């Protein structure tokens, strides 16, 4: 498989020794994460910021042979102990998407699933991570399903979160991630109008020149990854089943879009 299918963006949530029960699919243990970062380093990959990915998809910068971007949705505090130092030790970076109104609290939007709450980064911890070279983005104000909201509520979640984060962090917030991977045309228009440079979706695949920077593709990393499945996702942006399904669909219906995957 070609390494030039586009830059892969790997999507993480929490890095914890207790991935949970109902939602454990979205968690990765510190041991798993360290092994994945070590594999990337040994295979000669480098990490990109989302600013760099935007330059590539806009055809303003060349596409590197081996590069990935790492993103962490929700802003869990366990990033401090389970991920940040491992990344820094390998010269890697990442983007952390914060839920602006929930900074310093817990992931209340997941309470209905029954797992214990998980702590989120505080404002001071987020600022410290930025000083250490990590990129911070917006994951809305409250992690609501955006397509279900009124226009005024959408503006508050999208533009309002950007304004709040920039005020509290003292820095520009240029990148956005759609909660639950859910979006529609109204969301797209408002993210563009709010002044973001990009937005991450749950579409699978690589990001090559011509990909819409407000529909960047990502591959979800789960607690079930083996060394082989992780390497496949890093190279292609797909899980093996997603890859197979997409290849079959494109043979039958030319132009079928990349697979989508929901999340909490």
């Amino acid at each position: 498989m070609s390494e030039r299918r586009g830059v892969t963006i790997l999507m993480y949530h929490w890095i914890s020794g207790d991935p949970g029960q109902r939602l454990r699919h979205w968690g990765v243990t510190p041991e798993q994460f360290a092994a994945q970062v070590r594999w990337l380093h040994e295979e000669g990959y480098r990490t990109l910021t989302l600013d760099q990915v935007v330059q590539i998809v806009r055809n303003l910068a060349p596409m590197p042979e081996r590069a990935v971007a790492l993103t962490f949705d929700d802003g869990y505090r366990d990033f401090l102990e389970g991920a940040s130092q491992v990344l820094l030790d390998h010269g890697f970076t990442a983007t952390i998407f914060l839920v602006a109104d929930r900074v310093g609290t817990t992931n209340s939007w997941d309470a209905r699933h029954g797992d214990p709450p998980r702590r989120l980064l505080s404002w001071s911890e987020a600022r410290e991570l930025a000083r250490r070279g990590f990129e911070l983005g917006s994951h809305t104000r409250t992690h609501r399903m955006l397509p279900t909201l009124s226009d005024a509520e959408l503006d508050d979640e999208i533009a309002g979160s950007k304004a709040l984060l920039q005020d509290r962090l003292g820095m520009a917030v240029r990148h956005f991630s759609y909660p639950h991977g859910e979006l529609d045309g109204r969301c797209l228009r408002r993210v563009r109008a709010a002044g973001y440079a990009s937005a991450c979706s749950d579409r699978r695949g690589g990001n090559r020149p011509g990909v819409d920077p407000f529909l960047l593709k990502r591959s979800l990393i789960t607690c079930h990854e083996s060394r082989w499945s992780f390497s496949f996702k890093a190279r292609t942006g797909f899980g093996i089943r997603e890859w197979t399904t997409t290849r079959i669909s494109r043979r039958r219906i030319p132009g079928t879009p990349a697979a989508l995957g929901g999340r909490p």
Side-chain angles (χ1 to χ4, degrees):
M1 289 172 291
S2 170
E3 298 285 354
R4 299 186 63 80
R5 294 185 180 277
V7 175
T8 300
I9 301 176
L10 303 179
M11 173 173 49
Y12 291 90
H13 289 80
W14 51 86
I15 310 294
S16 172
D18 179 15
Q21 296 300 317
R22 299 289 297 277
L23 297 176
R24 68 178 295 109
H25 179 76
W26 285 271
V28 172
T29 68
E31 294 76 19
Q32 286 176 308
F33 184 72
Q36 291 164 2
V37 170
R38 187 165 56 249
W39 182 88
L40 290 170
H41 187 263
E42 290 172 351
E43 293 296 315
Y45 280 82
R46 65 187 180 97
T47 55
L48 303 178
T49 65
L50 290 184
D51 277 337
Q52 291 173 309
V53 175
V54 169
Q55 291 291 300
I56 291 167
V57 299
R58 290 192 180 278
N59 212 17
L60 298 174
M63 188 164 63
E65 287 290 336
R66 293 196 175 194
V68 295
L70 307 180
T71 63
F72 292 77
D73 281 8
D74 306 332
Y76 292 99
R77 191 176 185 277
D78 54 36
F79 182 89
L80 289 172
E81 297 86 13
S84 62
Q85 195 58 52
V86 173
L87 292 169
L88 292 171
D89 287 346
H90 289 84
F92 286 177
T93 190
T95 302
I96 305 160
F97 290 109
L98 304 173
V99 182
D101 281 4
R102 300 292 183 259
V103 171
T105 64
T106 63
N107 59 328
S108 57
W109 58 88
D110 282 335
R112 69 187 187 278
H113 297 292
D115 279 2
R118 295 183 182 276
R119 293 179 63 191
L120 304 175
L121 292 164
S122 69
W123 291 111
S124 61
E125 290 165 343
R127 286 191 290 268
E128 177 58 28
L129 286 170
R131 283 193 289 269
R132 298 174 75 186
F134 295 105
E135 196 172 52
L136 302 177
S138 170
H139 203 34
T140 71
R141 292 188 71 130
T142 62
H143 206 285
R144 299 166 75 187
M145 291 275 193
L146 295 183
T148 69
L149 304 182
S150 68
D151 289 350
E153 289 171 322
L154 269 183
D155 287 336
D156 189 45
E157 292 286 347
I158 295 170
S161 64
K162 188 176 195 291
L164 176 58
L165 289 169
Q166 291 183 155
D167 179 62
R168 294 300 301 269
L169 296 171
M171 63 192 340
V173 172
R174 293 173 44 78
H175 306 286
F176 184 83
S177 172
Y178 301 101
H180 311 281
E182 298 291 334
L183 68 145
D184 58 15
R186 293 185 309 140
C187 301
L188 274 173
R189 290 191 294 274
R190 280 167 167 75
V191 171
R192 293 179 193 273
Y196 291 99
S198 80
C200 286
S201 75
D202 276 7
R203 295 177 183 266
R204 306 296 189 235
N207 295 281
R208 56 197 326 179
V211 166
D212 187 338
F214 295 94
L215 285 172
L216 292 177
K217 302 174 183 180
R218 294 193 291 177
S219 185
L220 174 66
I221 304 301
T222 78
C223 68
H224 306 295
E225 307 300 342
S226 65
R227 180 183 177 93
W228 185 86
S229 68
F230 177 79
S231 67
F232 190 89
K233 287 183 175 182
R235 290 189 174 103
T236 69
F238 290 94
I240 184 61
R241 290 184 180 178
E242 296 164 340
W243 173 273
T244 303
T245 300
T246 302
R247 299 282 79 74
I248 292 172
S249 297
R250 285 178 175 171
R251 289 192 194 101
R252 292 176 179 172
I253 309 173
T256 298
L260 297 174
R263 53 189 170 89

